[in-house]
Amino acid sequence: MIHLKSGSRRVLVVLVVCIVFILPLMTLAIRSFQSNAGFSYENYALLLSQSRTHQAIVNTLLVALISSLIATAGGVLVAVLVAYTNIPGKRWIELCVLSPMVVPSYVIALAYTTLFANRGLINQALVHWGLQRINVYSFQSIILVIALCNIPIVYMQCIDALRKVPLEAEWASLSSGHGRLKTLVSINLAQIWPTIQGALLLSFLAALDNFSVPALLGITSNIPMLSTYIYEKAIGFGPSAFQQAAALAMILSSLVMVVLFLQFLVSRKKFYTKSVLAVSEVRMKFSKRGKWMMLFVLVPVFFGIYLLPILTMVMASFSRTFGMVASLSEFSLKNYEFVLTSITTRSAFFNSLWFALISVAVCLVFASMFAYWRVRRPQDKELGVVEKFIAVPYALPGIVLALAMIFFWSIVPGVYGSTLILLIAYVTRYMILQIKGSTSAFRGLHPELEEAGISAGRNRFSQWIRIIIPLTLKPIMASSAIIFISVFTEVTLSSLLAAANSKTVGLSIFSLQQAGNYNQSYAFSALIILFILFIYSVFLIIRKISVHRRKQHDINP
Amino acid sequence: MTLILKDISKRYGLTEALTKVNATIEDGEFISILGPSGCGKTTLLRIMAGFLNPSEGELYENDRLISSASIQKPVMRKNFGMVFQSLALWPHMSVTQHLDYVLKAKHLHLTSAQRQFRIEETLEKCDLLSLKNRLPGELSGGQQQRVALARAMVGNPGILLMDEPLSALDAHLRISMRKEIMRIHQLTEATIIYITHDQQEALAMSNRIMVMNQGKVQQFASAEAVYTQPLNPFVAAFVGKYNLFSGQWHGDGFQVAQSDFCFQVSCPNDVFRTLGLCPLRPDQLDFGSQGVAGEIVFREFMGQYQLYEVKCDQGNFRVEIEITRVFLAGEKVFLSLRSNL
């Protein structure tokens, strides 16, 4: 596909990657040291002397630390329950725990504001009983909602690792006389400890990156966090507000760097195990009574945490007046009518849809070429470094990337202020996901399969269509699905980069809520959840069809 | 502690892994469970260890029922050591930590000093002192095997269950570990139940051998009995490497089919009589002036004897001959009974 013999072509690729993925961040770094007097530490000095900055840094670190501890504890606990025990309803538990992958974090936060609205049922009941109201616009809520959103990260890593702990390793412990619980802690959890540490760091990073939850729950209640503080500075006025935003972004990035370094240390400490297959046997059997006792506890907890807020929000979306649906007379489809007819929401929907489709397409094309090159020519060592460059915009927090985009691409005329800059930002951020997916897909494709196609005399193009693409479709599509959902629902990049004509879904929901049109924001959120479920089903169907067609071909000789 | 198996059967869906296994294992015996891959040995060991429930039947320890189809959680017995075929070492613990973990079990009531002493003692016995701080990932296959054995022994268990513990070792190491296990048996008088598919190992180490095939016990007797008096053709062929001549039993001996020769032996039991098979070991045969006609196809030099493979009308048979007499491939010979029997 690419004739890779010339070194000049490789130099070109490295150059392009540096320009697109690295230079914006370097520009950001340089501009953070800029002030009216030229190159100086002024911005940092000013910021670090202000208590608001201290508060923001402390809040950010505390939120990240506590939420990742909670997410890790919760994720490991549920993973153990699903992987090892015989409780019924594991499918439902998994669906609930993984629901933050379908429902964006700001919708979850929005749902909780509905549940704990000042005039909502829960707070009314508390007041009635003489207790204090629960304020959802608080430090604690930010921690809890972010923890909830990051549990899937921990869950997915740990459940696979837990299933791979050999049964016989447990039996060796049980046979020496230790109890079931001691074995679980000293053998199973101890063996997956590096995985747990890695998951903790990942959710810490995700918490540092999170913008929408602190924005929704923290701005109005004046809880400064680095991500929202950067946003405030960037949209604010003042002689050096923009440069100060850059300085704050650098401070946040250095926190991220520390965590990335810790990740690197942890990833080197993998324990030796022979390649093991995951086992799904039940290892800890609850008695019949025990099973129902567990359900008795789990069902209300899961319902209360995952389903109740969303249900409350959906019910409120059918209400004519603000607040929950008090009676049938309050029932109205007015909000949905508004969302489906208003120009702002409709254009937001189609904007996000186009952004998602185009981003997926662009990432697919370039990542596939890059991945193919990487896998087929392992001797081109610089590709490894190039891939690391491409990963940087995903590793850094979204708000930092947004700022870097502004600083860099405003040099090029016609980019800033148009839809182009947001599109560039999306591709810059999510390219690495497609590269990872495509690389692993191509690694699984034996070169002899392609050579057989070549020797049959067909040209390169038909080879791609008939051989390469069908065999690598599934893992590649998985990455595309993640990119699609991420771009469609994202709000951090669009908060700084969206122009008047390129508002996105996330931004639209935010604006509705900030403007006080709560019920409409609920209606829009509900519709978006439905749409995301629809997209997931489409991808599942594509997967099922491609597997089914493969099976058919296997039967025919 | 006597282990009693009553009609133990295990089914997985429609497949019978074990069928009506009955046995009594006395305290302090060394029992080998011998059989080809897939005959149910590991399943039986897991039922005896308490990790699996039988689909039918009961398992008793002395007079206490410890496992049956209806008992949901088999009683976890305290005092046994187990060596797994996969070794199942804990990748995050060093050699010393493996032994320490076992000794920390509450029912042992050992002080820290006692644990230290026991660990050092066991490490020395298994020649692991120089490796005591290494992780399993830093050990060779043979060293890992010794760690698995040390872990099973360190708690001085009354019963040791071993699932093909030496199968991954080279011949030299296998022989020295074999001696070590037998020494442990002598010293501690523990009951040892040892799974292997190597008949030489079983014959060398055990008091009694349980020969299994396709989930059924074929014979459960002393090593000598299983070797010299096999109960059926499977045991004969698997353990003693018997030749099986087909033909007809009658009063004085065995008439070999497709030949006019008659072996002057008595019929071992009714199974052979009904099947019309005569089991004869390679060392019970000789090349004589008359007998079953055949042609030599292979000669293997085994050190103490030559092993000849002879092609006859019925099939191929193996004969052991002293190394002083040499025969060549292609030579026509007659198979008869060795005269000094």
Side-chain angles (χ1 to χ4, degrees):
Chain A
M1 193 119 185
I2 306 172
H3 293 289
L4 308 166
K5 42 187 160 86
S6 60
S8 60
R9 222 173 262 264
R10 280 150 65 170
V11 170
L12 183 70
V13 166
V14 176
L15 221 67
V16 166
V17 164
C18 283
I19 291 176
V20 174
F21 293 90
I22 297 297
L23 276 191
L25 298 160
M26 283 180 60
T27 317
L28 178 72
I30 293 171
R31 290 289 280 257
S32 72
F33 290 104
Q34 246 182 8
S35 73
N36 295 324
F39 193 86
S40 85
Y41 294 103
E42 202 178 272
N43 298 315
Y44 289 96
L46 184 66
L47 284 169
L48 289 172
S49 66
Q50 291 174 343
S51 71
R52 192 177 168 80
T53 313
H54 302 157
Q55 200 60 44
I57 296 178
V58 167
N59 285 348
T60 304
L61 284 174
L62 273 180
V63 165
L65 183 66
I66 302 176
S67 72
S68 53
L69 285 173
I70 296 176
T72 307
V76 169
L77 186 63
V78 181
V80 168
L81 280 176
V82 172
Y84 286 173
T85 70
N86 59 344
I87 49 171
K90 282 188 191 176
R91 268 252 171 100
W92 294 107
I93 292 180
E94 215 173 57
L95 267 168
C96 280
V97 165
L98 294 179
S99 59
M101 292 175 71
V102 173
V103 183
S105 56
Y106 50 87
V107 172
I108 296 181
L110 200 63
Y112 269 93
T113 61
T114 330
L115 187 61
F116 291 102
N118 271 335
R119 277 182 287 148
L121 274 181
I122 293 187
N123 275 330
Q124 277 190 7
L126 288 175
V127 167
H128 182 73
W129 293 329
L131 298 165
Q132 256 206 324
R133 280 206 189 96
I134 291 180
N135 179 18
V136 73
Y137 295 92
S138 65
F139 192 64
Q140 295 89 318
S141 328
I142 296 179
I143 292 178
L144 287 174
V145 172
I146 292 184
L148 210 66
C149 295
N150 289 337
I151 284 182
I153 299 176
V154 180
Y155 178 82
M156 306 258 287
Q157 301 238 310
C158 290
I159 196 155
D160 191 52
L162 282 171
R163 287 197 171 122
K164 286 187 173 159
V165 175
L167 279 165
E168 295 187 331
E170 290 180 14
W171 290 348
S173 166
L174 291 170
S175 70
S176 28
H178 289 284
R180 232 306 152 207
L181 205 60
K182 168 95 174 141
T183 302
L184 181 67
V185 171
S186 305
I187 304 297
N188 299 72
L189 293 182
Q191 191 169 328
I192 68 163
W193 187 236
T195 310
I196 296 180
Q197 287 176 309
L200 180 77
L201 290 172
L202 265 178
S203 53
F204 193 96
L205 277 178
L208 286 178
D209 163 66
N210 197 306
F211 168 79
S212 51
V213 175
L216 205 81
L217 299 179
I219 287 187
T220 47
S221 47
N222 200 27
I223 299 174
M225 304 233 334
L226 276 175
S227 48
T228 49
Y229 196 17
I230 294 172
Y231 173 75
E232 283 167 14
K233 285 283 181 191
I235 61 168
F237 297 102
S240 54
F242 227 55
Q243 283 89 330
Q244 286 184 7
L248 284 171
M250 293 307 293
I251 295 175
L252 182 56
S253 302
S254 45
L255 292 178
V256 169
M257 293 296 182
V258 171
V259 180
L260 286 176
F261 179 67
L262 289 174
Q263 261 192 337
F264 170 70
L265 289 180
V266 165
S267 72
R268 300 204 312 181
K269 213 178 174 239
K270 280 285 171 191
F271 290 128
Y272 150 88
T273 28
K274 310 173 246 186
S275 59
V276 198
L277 283 173
V279 167
S280 52
E281 270 180 64
V282 171
R283 307 180 187 213
M284 291 164 63
K285 278 207 168 107
F286 287 116
S287 64
K288 244 192 167 177
R289 242 191 60 183
K291 264 198 272 181
W292 292 111
M293 273 177 61
M294 288 296 299
L295 270 189
F296 192 70
V297 168
L298 287 177
V299 167
V301 166
F302 272 79
F303 181 77
I305 293 181
Y306 289 102
L307 291 172
L308 191 59
I310 303 283
L311 276 178
T312 318
M313 187 184 77
V314 170
M315 277 169 60
S317 71
F318 287 114
S319 166
R320 204 198 322 230
T321 60
F322 165 65
M324 285 179 44
V325 181
S327 64
L328 256 106
S329 64
E330 303 270 310
F331 185 90
S332 149
L333 288 173
K334 196 179 69 169
N335 302 312
Y336 285 94
E337 202 188 308
F338 173 80
V339 167
L340 288 167
T341 55
S342 146
I343 299 179
T344 31
T345 49
R346 283 165 69 98
S347 64
F349 177 82
F350 284 108
N351 283 341
S352 287
L353 189 61
W354 282 123
F355 280 134
L357 285 172
I358 298 177
S359 307
V360 166
V362 171
C363 287
L364 258 180
V365 169
F366 287 107
S368 300
M369 294 200 294
F370 183 86
Y372 187 75
W373 183 358
R374 184 106 161 82
V375 170
R376 289 289 174 256
R377 281 179 66 95
Q379 63 267 37
D380 292 347
K381 297 270 185 256
E382 68 268 19
L383 290 182
V385 179
V386 168
E387 191 174 309
K388 290 218 160 44
F389 283 169
I390 300 179
V392 173
Y394 186 74
L396 289 178
I399 198 76
V400 171
L401 181 67
L403 210 57
M405 292 279 112
I406 297 178
F407 277 122
F408 182 73
W409 289 103
S410 48
I411 301 173
V412 180
V415 175
Y416 181 58
S418 76
T419 55
L420 201 54
I421 191 170
L422 197 47
L423 200 54
I424 296 176
Y426 287 145
V427 168
T428 309
R429 184 158 175 81
Y430 295 111
M431 178 69 80
I432 187 65
L433 292 183
Q434 190 62 62
I435 288 184
K436 292 265 189 224
S438 299
T439 311
S440 82
F442 287 132
R443 282 227 165 93
L445 186 65
H446 204 279
E448 285 179 355
L449 285 169
E450 297 170 59
E451 286 161 13
I454 297 177
S455 64
R458 303 292 296 275
N459 60 38
R460 253 354 196 140
F461 181 69
S462 68
Q463 196 189 27
W464 271 82
I465 299 285
R466 298 287 303 207
I467 299 178
I468 299 176
I469 290 182
L471 288 175
T472 53
L473 198 62
K474 216 167 87 163
I476 291 183
M477 283 280 105
S479 301
S480 303
I482 296 177
I483 295 179
F484 185 94
I485 303 282
S486 303
V487 173
F488 185 75
T489 61
E490 87 80 44
V491 77
T492 313
L493 292 174
S494 26
S495 68
L496 282 185
L497 299 175
N501 61 343
S502 60
K503 261 197 147 162
T504 61
V505 162
L507 215 53
S508 181
I509 292 178
F510 251 89
S511 325
L512 285 172
Q513 193 258 7
Q514 298 287 347
N517 298 327
Y518 298 110
N519 298 39
Q520 289 160 0
S521 68
Y522 304 153
F524 201 15
S525 303
L527 287 176
I528 294 304
I529 297 178
L530 278 176
F531 182 70
I532 296 174
L533 284 171
F534 169 69
I535 294 292
Y536 266 123
S537 332
V538 166
F539 272 105
L540 277 174
I541 292 175
I542 294 180
R543 261 182 63 169
K544 274 240 161 103
I545 293 180
S546 65
V547 170
H548 179 69
R549 278 178 67 189
R550 279 236 305 269
K551 279 201 176 139
Q552 277 193 326
H553 285 297
D554 287 340
I555 295 172
N556 300 332
Chain B
M1 174 190 22
T2 313
L3 214 58
I4 302 174
L5 291 88
K6 251 201 202 152
D7 286 337
I8 300 268
S9 298
K10 181 70 181 172
R11 256 184 306 281
Y12 290 106
L14 293 172
T15 331
E16 281 255 323
L18 290 173
T19 311
K20 286 212 178 320
V21 175
N22 279 292
T24 302
I25 298 172
E26 306 289 344
D27 194 22
E29 278 199 277
F30 194 126
I31 304 287
S32 286
I33 303 181
L34 177 66
S37 306
C39 70
K41 321 188 282 284
T42 302
T43 311
L44 186 61
L45 197 73
R46 287 183 179 175
I47 290 179
M48 288 200 268
F51 297 129
L52 276 186
N53 278 33
S55 311
E56 273 165 33
E58 285 123 33
L59 179 68
Y60 293 90
E61 193 177 283
N62 295 329
D63 288 317
R64 196 162 64 116
L65 175 69
I66 55 176
S67 182
S68 78
S70 51
I71 295 183
Q72 265 302 95
K73 272 203 296 202
V75 172
M76 200 50 61
R77 279 131 69 236
K78 299 282 195 227
N79 198 16
F80 76 102
M82 191 149 177
V83 181
F84 298 88
Q85 193 175 3
S86 68
L87 303 183
L89 295 183
W90 299 310
H92 57 287
M93 292 199 204
S94 71
V95 175
T96 308
Q97 284 169 333
H98 272 81
L99 305 185
D100 196 43
Y101 182 78
V102 171
L103 292 177
K104 280 203 174 118
K106 293 208 180 71
H107 69 277
L108 286 178
H109 305 299
L110 294 174
T111 67
S112 172
Q114 286 172 318
R115 289 204 302 270
Q116 265 294 81
F117 180 73
R118 209 63 100 82
I119 292 174
E120 294 280 327
E121 191 181 49
T122 311
L123 286 175
E124 201 185 324
K125 262 195 271 183
C126 296
D127 191 23
L128 288 169
L129 271 176
S130 58
L131 305 168
K132 64 179 179 174
N133 291 323
R134 295 235 198 135
L135 294 175
E138 299 160 344
L139 298 171
S140 74
Q143 292 165 338
Q144 288 178 3
Q145 201 103 62
R146 300 210 297 275
V147 175
L149 193 59
R151 177 177 65 182
M153 287 163 38
V154 73
N156 272 348
I159 170 168
L160 263 173
L161 303 174
M162 304 202 210
D163 192 346
E164 304 208 36
L166 307 182
S167 58
L169 301 179
D170 60 69
H172 187 73
L173 198 51
R174 203 182 305 179
I175 293 176
S176 63
M177 289 299 277
R178 206 196 281 182
K179 277 200 282 217
E180 181 59 42
I181 295 174
M182 289 173 74
R183 218 160 49 78
I184 292 164
H185 181 231
Q186 273 180 342
L187 277 172
T188 65
E189 293 177 0
T191 309
I192 299 188
I193 302 180
Y194 187 97
I195 290 186
T196 179
H197 59 257
D198 183 335
Q199 34 90 258
Q200 271 195 333
E201 219 168 59
L203 288 170
M205 301 171 85
S206 354
N207 299 129
R208 284 197 289 164
I209 302 181
M210 185 190 290
V211 184
M212 290 188 69
N213 188 32
Q214 294 183 331
K216 295 197 189 67
V217 177
Q218 306 290 321
Q219 188 170 358
F220 186 26
S222 71
E224 286 82 2
V226 170
Y227 186 77
T228 56
Q229 292 150 11
L231 280 183
N232 60 40
F234 174 80
V235 180
F238 193 80
V239 184
K241 304 262 187 280
Y242 281 71
N243 296 301
L244 291 169
F245 291 91
S246 30
Q248 188 86 355
W249 289 97
H250 52 70
D252 337 336
F254 184 80
Q255 177 65 44
V256 182
Q258 294 168 301
S259 159
D260 49 7
F261 186 73
C262 196
F263 283 119
Q264 304 290 342
V265 281
S266 50
C267 184
N269 63 40
D270 283 329
V271 179
F272 288 104
R273 187 185 301 279
T274 331
L275 289 169
L277 290 172
C278 177
L280 287 169
R281 289 196 308 276
D283 58 278
Q284 289 173 307
L285 291 172
D286 198 1
F287 294 149
S289 47
Q290 52 168 335
V292 181
E295 185 186 315
I296 295 179
V297 279
F298 288 123
R299 176 170 64 97
E300 281 174 59
F301 177 61
M302 306 297 272
Q304 288 183 327
Y305 56 84
Q306 307 265 19
L307 185 67
Y308 291 94
E309 183 159 325
V310 180
K311 187 171 137 107
C312 307
D313 281 335
Q314 267 192 24
N316 289 19
F317 299 107
R318 287 170 309 282
V319 184
E320 274 177 28
I321 305 285
E322 315 80 67
I323 55 178
T324 44
R325 294 154 67 198
V326 180
F327 298 84
L328 299 170
E331 258 186 69
K332 300 250 189 294
V333 288
F334 293 102
L335 300 179
S336 61
L337 280 180
R338 191 168 279 274
S339 53
N340 55 8
L341 274 174

